[in-house]
């Protein structure tokens, strides 16, 4: 079974000896009440199949009479809710392929699996004989994209929606406002987008277009309007709603957490929010409306005498109690508008109605227990979604995210288990632009998608990585730029010179992790350059992974295969600085010179020592100096092979040191 590059891995799969050839005569037929979504998906399937195989298929659309080679059937139209049935069965036999689902969205999920099954030998493309019964483990499998810190145009969103659908994700969480911008056209309060977006916002027609596009892919859209904190943009437009008098609000250009906060004791605040939500909720058909509610320390509340008097009069002991008061009023407003409130886990307090959906984001990094807030929310009776561990903007490796198990070994009742809806990967955009966002989301999010779809027992990291390589390059078929834009950045950095030296460096360098690149949010502004070496590097440096594995295996087994990989890579890196020096230097490249130089020196010394099976004390001293230098961060990246180089260094000292 491991030969199939399926992701997410199906619930059940068995093989037979059948094979369905993909040739010019292959056809698709659809049986179902309303074929809108499935018809469009079937047309798209045929286009992608012809592109992938190069075959001139005679019939480019689903046939209207008779049965096709691929027979798609479904029973009902999905309403796109947490109650959706996305299950399907897929049977590939010698003459036909049957895909059956209870809903049209289930049929869409099955078509993605069938496309992933496309196989070839020297002579033919074909679908191998399999029977698949599949259904997701969790009903909420989402991706949040923050468009407030850096605006992402509609085409960026659409290509990421296509990618989401290809790995069976079903919720697009659209973080639309924050301190750095209000990104939606408001006809009721036009100053919101006119004064705080720098002209970068979505018209209401564009919002409708994206929501319809997502719906056609079987993806729900949940908007987020973050209040009462993260409100600098709102208060720049309407300062009278703020909690601090005579305060000048200006759209924030830095990252971080800021003090401006909506005033929770003014009736005008709730009138404003009710009017705004009344305008915005019709744009988003989903049941849920995310109000944020996170990271509000209440500094301006504490400095306002009227707010403190209100707290005392209403027996609200803390600012957290005051925010609960605020959240409950919002819950009633949204309920009147036919929506259910969703918010980050700070909203979870004893008085919050159980209809609220708790978005769990805090864990060990925020001083909480390893389990974070997900399990406590489920046990308290809230429906809940996990993002703790899925913060892909922290630039942690795919293996880390793949290892995040939402439930683990915790014992839950059936009701408590049902409260855990699933999870979301979160793409905060402080350090990403349209040029780089795809490389920060993909391919790691495909592994998160598998964690949320597949059985808990599907957790072999190396097998996942093997399949992910195939998924990654096939995502390019959907328009993603996560691979090709590395070279775009390097051509910009070098003024279009030979970039091979930078490519080889980038394959062993990774951006600094967990916000080290922008400590406290004070180095990079929203208009800073994001076309630097760190922006071209990714969280999983491809050569580093294979080198690290080979070093580990060789030191255990002394095998020739891993030795050969190590020697080959050291040889390449030993010569890389010569290539680097042939590039005409400029201020963007010059700071990388020490990294390039020390890597080549270290590699050259290691290579010679292993080939000669000896190293002098003087060379050992030089090696220690250069390898120590490689432990330092360079231009917001770290060398991902440092530990392996250290292991080789220690091995030489113990085994090959000569007098």
């Amino acid at each position: 079974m491991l030969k199939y590059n399926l992701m997410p891995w199906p619930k059940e799969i068995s093989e037979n000896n059948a094979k369905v050839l993909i040739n010019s005569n292959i056809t698709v037929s659809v049986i179902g009440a309303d074929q809108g979504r499935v018809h469009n998906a079937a047309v798209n399937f045929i286009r992608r199949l012809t592109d992938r195989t190069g075959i001139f298929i005679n019939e480019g659309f689903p046939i209207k009479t008779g049965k096709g080679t691929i027979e798609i059937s479904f029973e009902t139209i999905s309403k796109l809710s947490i109650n959706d049935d996305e299950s399907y069965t897929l049977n590939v036999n010698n003459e036909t392929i049957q895909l059956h689902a209870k809903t049209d969205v289930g049929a869409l999920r099955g078509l993605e699996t069938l496309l992933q099954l496309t196989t070839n030998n020297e002579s033919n493309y074909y679908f191998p004989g399999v029977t698949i019964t599949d259904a997701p483990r969790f009903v909420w499998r989402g991706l949040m994209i923050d468009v407030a810190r850096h605006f992402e145009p509609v085409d960026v969103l659409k290509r990421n929606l296509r990618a989401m659908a290809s790995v069976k994700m079903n919720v697009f969480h659209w973080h639309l406002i924050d301190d750095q911008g209000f990104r939606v056209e408001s006809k009721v309060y036009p100053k919101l987008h006119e004064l705080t977006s720098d002209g970068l916002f979505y018209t209401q027609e564009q919002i409708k277009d994206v929501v319809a596009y997502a719906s056609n892919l079987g993806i729900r859209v949940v908007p987020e309007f973050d209040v009462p904190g993260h409100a600098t943009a709102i208060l720049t437009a309407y300062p009278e709603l703020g909690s601090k008098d005579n305060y000048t609000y200006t759209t924030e250009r830095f990252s971080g957490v800021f003090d401006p906060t909506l005033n929770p004791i003014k009736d005008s605040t709730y009138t404003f929010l009710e009017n705004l939500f009344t305008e915005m909720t019709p744009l988003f058909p989903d049941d849920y409306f995310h109000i944020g509610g996170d990271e509000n320390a209440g500094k301006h509340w504490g400095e306002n005498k009227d707010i403190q008097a209100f707290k005392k009069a209403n027996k609200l002991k803390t600012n957290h109690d005051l925010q609960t008061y605020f959240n409950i009023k919002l819950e009633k407003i949204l309920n009147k508008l036919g929506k259910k409130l969703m918010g980050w886990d700070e909203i979870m307090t004893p008085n919050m109605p159980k209809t609220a959906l708790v978005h769990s984001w805090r864990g060990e990094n925020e001083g909480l227990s390893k389990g974070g807030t997900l399990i406590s929310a489920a046990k308290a009776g809230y429906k809940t979604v996990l993002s703790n561990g899925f913060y892909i903007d922290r630039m942690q490796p795919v293996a880390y995210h793949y290892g995040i198990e939402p439930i683990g070994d915790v014992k839950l009742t059936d009701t408590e288990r049902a409260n855990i809806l699933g999870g979301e990967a979160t793409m905060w955009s402080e350090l990403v632009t349209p040029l780089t966002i795809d490389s920060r989301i993909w391919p790691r999010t495909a592994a998160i998608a598998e964690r949320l779809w597949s059985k808990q027992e599907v957790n072999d990291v190396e097998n996942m990585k093997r399949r992910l390589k195939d998924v990654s390059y096939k995502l390019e078929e959907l328009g993603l730029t996560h691979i090709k834009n590395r070279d775009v950045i390097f051509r910009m950095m070098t003024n279009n010179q030979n970039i091979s030296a930078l490519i080889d460096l980038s394959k062993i360098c990774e951006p600094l992790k967990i916000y080290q690149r922008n400590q406290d949010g004070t180095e990079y502004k929203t208009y800073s350059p994001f076309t630097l070496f760190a922006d071209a590097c990714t969280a999983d440096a491809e050569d580093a992974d294979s080198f690290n594995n080979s070093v580990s295996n060789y030191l255990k087994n002394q095998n020739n295969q891993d030795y050969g990989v190590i020697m080959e890579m050291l040889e390449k890196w030993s010569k890389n600085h010569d290539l680097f020096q042939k590039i005409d230097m400029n201020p963007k490249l010059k700071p990388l010179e020490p990294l390039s130089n020390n890597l080549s020196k270290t590699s050259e010394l290691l290579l010679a020592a292993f080939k000669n099976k000896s190293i002098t004390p003087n060379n050992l001293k030089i090696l220690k100096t250069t390898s120590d230098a490689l432990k330092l961060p360079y231009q917001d990246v770290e060398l991902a092979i440092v530990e392996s180089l250290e292991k080789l260094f220690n091995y030489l000292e113990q085994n090959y040191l000569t007098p």
Side-chain angles (χ1 to χ4, degrees):
M1 295 300 178
L2 299 181
K3 61 189 175 185
Y4 300 120
N5 291 318
L6 301 176
M7 186 173 280
W9 192 258
K11 189 174 182 179
E12 296 177 12
I13 179 171
S14 60
E15 292 181 298
N16 58 58
N17 295 321
K19 180 186 293 185
V20 173
L21 289 178
I22 302 169
N23 55 35
S24 59
N25 295 319
I26 198 166
T27 54
V28 177
S29 60
V30 181
I31 302 171
D34 180 349
Q35 298 182 6
R37 278 194 192 111
V38 179
H39 175 85
N40 291 335
V43 172
N44 191 36
F45 171 87
I46 296 169
R47 300 295 178 273
R48 290 164 69 189
L49 188 64
T50 57
D51 287 345
R52 190 169 292 187
T53 62
I55 292 172
F56 289 72
I57 294 176
N58 293 330
E59 188 52 70
F61 300 88
I63 59 176
K64 295 182 179 180
T65 58
K67 293 183 178 181
T69 315
I70 302 168
E71 302 173 11
I72 307 169
S73 61
F74 62 96
E75 300 168 19
T76 61
I77 303 301
S78 169
K79 296 180 180 179
L80 293 188
S81 75
I82 61 172
N83 299 314
D84 276 357
D85 187 323
E86 297 176 87
S87 65
Y88 66 91
T89 57
L90 180 64
N91 184 29
V92 180
N93 56 43
N94 274 320
E95 296 182 1
T96 60
I97 297 170
Q98 290 90 27
L99 168 59
H100 178 73
K102 290 187 177 180
T103 69
D104 56 345
V105 170
L108 266 58
R109 307 300 182 233
L111 272 175
E112 293 294 345
T113 299
L114 180 58
L115 192 66
Q116 287 184 345
L117 281 169
T118 307
T119 307
N120 69 280
N121 53 31
E122 189 175 323
S123 305
N124 296 293
Y125 284 92
Y126 61 92
F127 295 113
V130 293
T131 298
I132 291 174
T133 302
D134 202 6
R137 182 158 65 117
F138 292 104
V139 299
W140 194 297
R141 307 176 307 282
L143 170 64
M144 186 221 73
I145 296 181
D146 164 22
V147 299
R149 277 55 177 253
H150 279 100
F151 181 74
E152 304 297 336
V154 168
D155 66 309
V156 175
L157 300 180
K158 285 185 174 180
R159 73 192 186 214
N160 276 282
L161 286 166
R162 293 193 293 271
M164 288 173 65
S166 75
V167 291
K168 303 181 175 62
M169 300 184 86
N170 66 352
V171 179
F172 170 42
H173 172 177
W174 203 351
H175 185 88
L176 286 158
I177 70 169
D178 217 296
D179 297 289
Q180 295 81 3
F182 193 100
R183 303 298 184 187
V184 187
E185 174 193 24
S186 174
K187 297 175 183 178
V188 177
Y189 296 109
K191 286 194 291 185
L192 287 171
H193 68 273
E194 289 173 354
L195 299 183
T196 72
S197 72
D198 300 318
L200 299 172
F201 64 91
Y202 307 100
T203 67
Q204 293 193 11
E205 290 306 308
Q206 287 177 313
I207 294 281
K208 293 175 185 176
D209 177 47
V210 170
V211 170
Y213 193 87
S215 175
N216 203 35
L217 296 168
I219 295 174
R220 300 163 44 216
V221 179
V222 175
E224 181 181 351
F225 288 69
D226 201 351
V227 289
H230 289 281
T232 307
I234 292 177
L235 297 177
T236 299
Y238 296 94
E240 64 272 17
L241 301 175
S243 298
K244 189 164 185 173
D245 296 332
N246 302 315
Y247 187 86
T248 301
Y249 298 98
T250 56
T251 304
E252 190 56 62
R253 302 303 181 183
F254 287 102
S255 308
V257 180
F258 305 97
D259 298 330
T261 313
L262 295 178
N263 191 321
I265 70 170
K266 286 183 176 180
D267 290 340
S268 57
T269 298
Y270 301 102
T271 301
F272 168 84
L273 290 172
E274 182 163 4
N275 291 340
L276 180 66
F277 290 174
T278 299
E279 178 186 21
M280 294 299 164
T281 51
L283 300 174
F284 303 96
D286 199 76
D287 291 339
Y288 288 96
F289 194 95
H290 205 303
I291 57 96
D294 61 318
E295 296 184 321
N296 174 28
K299 185 175 185 292
H300 282 187
W301 288 357
E303 296 171 353
N304 186 309
K305 293 179 180 178
D306 292 337
I307 291 176
Q308 292 307 307
F310 180 89
K311 283 169 60 180
K312 188 174 182 180
N314 288 273
K315 298 180 180 179
L316 301 171
K317 295 181 179 179
T318 67
N319 284 337
H320 199 58
D321 295 334
L322 180 58
Q323 183 157 331
T324 299
Y325 167 87
F326 174 88
N327 289 341
I328 290 173
K329 290 181 78 73
L330 257 62
E331 195 272 340
K332 291 177 180 177
I333 291 172
L334 289 170
N335 187 259
K336 187 165 64 173
L337 295 170
K339 300 294 183 183
K340 296 177 182 178
L341 181 145
M342 180 178 182
W344 300 104
D345 56 36
E346 288 96 329
I347 72 168
M348 186 172 60
T349 57
N351 296 325
M352 195 66 193
K354 294 298 189 288
T355 53
L357 174 57
V358 174
H359 195 165
S360 173
W361 74 277
R362 292 179 299 165
E364 291 177 284
N365 285 305
E366 292 73 35
L368 300 181
S369 64
K370 186 175 181 180
T373 56
L374 183 83
I375 301 301
S376 56
K379 288 186 173 181
Y382 294 97
K383 294 194 182 303
T384 182
V385 168
L386 180 68
S387 280
N388 178 31
F390 297 141
Y391 267 52
I392 51 178
D393 65 309
R394 288 181 170 179
M395 301 309 290
Q396 291 166 285
V398 66
Y400 167 79
H401 298 299
Y402 195 64
I404 299 298
E405 171 50 45
I407 297 175
D409 299 327
V410 178
K411 291 184 179 180
L412 300 172
T413 66
D414 290 345
T415 300
E416 290 167 347
R417 167 61 185 84
N419 283 338
I420 299 176
L421 301 182
E424 281 187 8
T426 52
M427 184 67 258
W428 299 105
S429 69
E430 286 91 342
L431 298 176
V432 300
T433 67
L435 182 72
T436 61
I437 188 169
D438 293 4
S439 69
R440 273 57 187 137
I441 298 175
W442 307 101
R444 288 177 300 154
T445 295
I448 296 173
E450 176 162 282
R451 176 54 53 241
L452 298 172
W453 177 283
S454 304
K455 292 179 180 179
Q456 184 176 346
E457 297 78 40
V458 179
N459 56 17
D460 185 299
V461 172
E462 292 308 312
N463 177 251
M464 174 274 292
K465 287 182 178 179
R466 182 192 63 77
R467 290 179 288 125
L468 191 63
K469 286 182 181 179
D470 185 76
V471 170
S472 181
Y473 85 81
K474 286 179 178 172
L475 285 170
E476 284 197 302
E477 297 174 5
L478 300 170
L480 287 187
T481 63
H482 63 300
I483 298 174
K484 69 180 182 181
N485 276 5
R486 176 199 66 188
D487 293 3
V488 172
I489 292 172
F490 287 159
R491 283 191 288 273
M492 293 171 69
M493 288 181 68
T494 63
N495 297 319
N496 197 30
Q497 298 178 67
N498 186 332
I499 60 175
S500 59
L502 292 179
I503 290 173
D504 283 339
L505 269 183
S506 72
K507 288 181 178 181
I508 49 174
C509 289
E510 296 171 355
L512 296 177
K513 297 172 176 55
I514 316 183
Y515 309 138
Q516 292 179 75
R517 181 176 177 185
N518 194 24
Q519 289 283 11
D520 302 318
T522 57
E523 182 178 355
Y524 288 89
K525 300 184 182 73
T526 53
Y527 48 81
S528 296
F530 293 93
T531 52
L532 306 177
F533 185 68
D535 300 298
C537 297
T538 62
D540 291 282
E542 56 183 300
D543 282 359
D545 195 45
S546 57
F547 181 74
N548 292 338
N549 286 337
S550 290
V551 169
S552 180
N553 292 335
Y554 175 73
L555 295 180
K556 287 178 185 176
N557 307 313
Q558 312 291 298
N559 63 82
N560 291 331
Q561 182 176 349
D562 288 308
Y563 178 82
V565 171
I566 294 168
M567 293 300 104
E568 181 181 348
M569 289 192 171
L570 290 176
E571 179 85 30
K572 177 173 67 174
W573 299 330
S574 70
K575 299 175 180 177
N576 200 57
H577 190 55
D578 291 338
L579 291 173
F580 182 87
Q581 289 180 303
K582 291 179 180 178
I583 306 172
D584 292 336
M585 284 294 108
N586 61 50
K588 284 193 288 187
L589 291 171
K590 191 69 176 176
L592 291 172
E593 195 166 32
L595 170 63
S596 176
N597 188 31
N598 285 321
L599 174 66
S600 287
K601 283 184 178 179
T602 301
S603 300
E604 187 176 355
L605 287 168
L606 285 171
L607 187 68
F610 271 95
K611 285 184 175 179
N612 299 326
K613 294 188 177 181
S614 69
I615 186 167
T616 65
N618 186 55
N619 281 348
L620 191 66
K621 184 178 179 181
I622 297 171
L623 185 58
K624 181 171 177 56
T625 300
T626 57
S627 61
D628 282 348
L630 291 174
K631 296 176 184 177
L632 302 173
Y634 291 86
Q635 293 297 288
D636 291 334
V637 302
E638 57 190 6
L639 191 65
I641 59 170
V642 163
E643 289 186 10
S644 293
L645 293 176
E646 186 91 0
K647 290 176 182 177
L648 294 178
F649 174 81
N650 292 334
Y651 181 85
L652 288 174
E653 187 173 22
Q654 293 168 12
N655 294 277
Y656 295 152
L657 184 61
T658 57

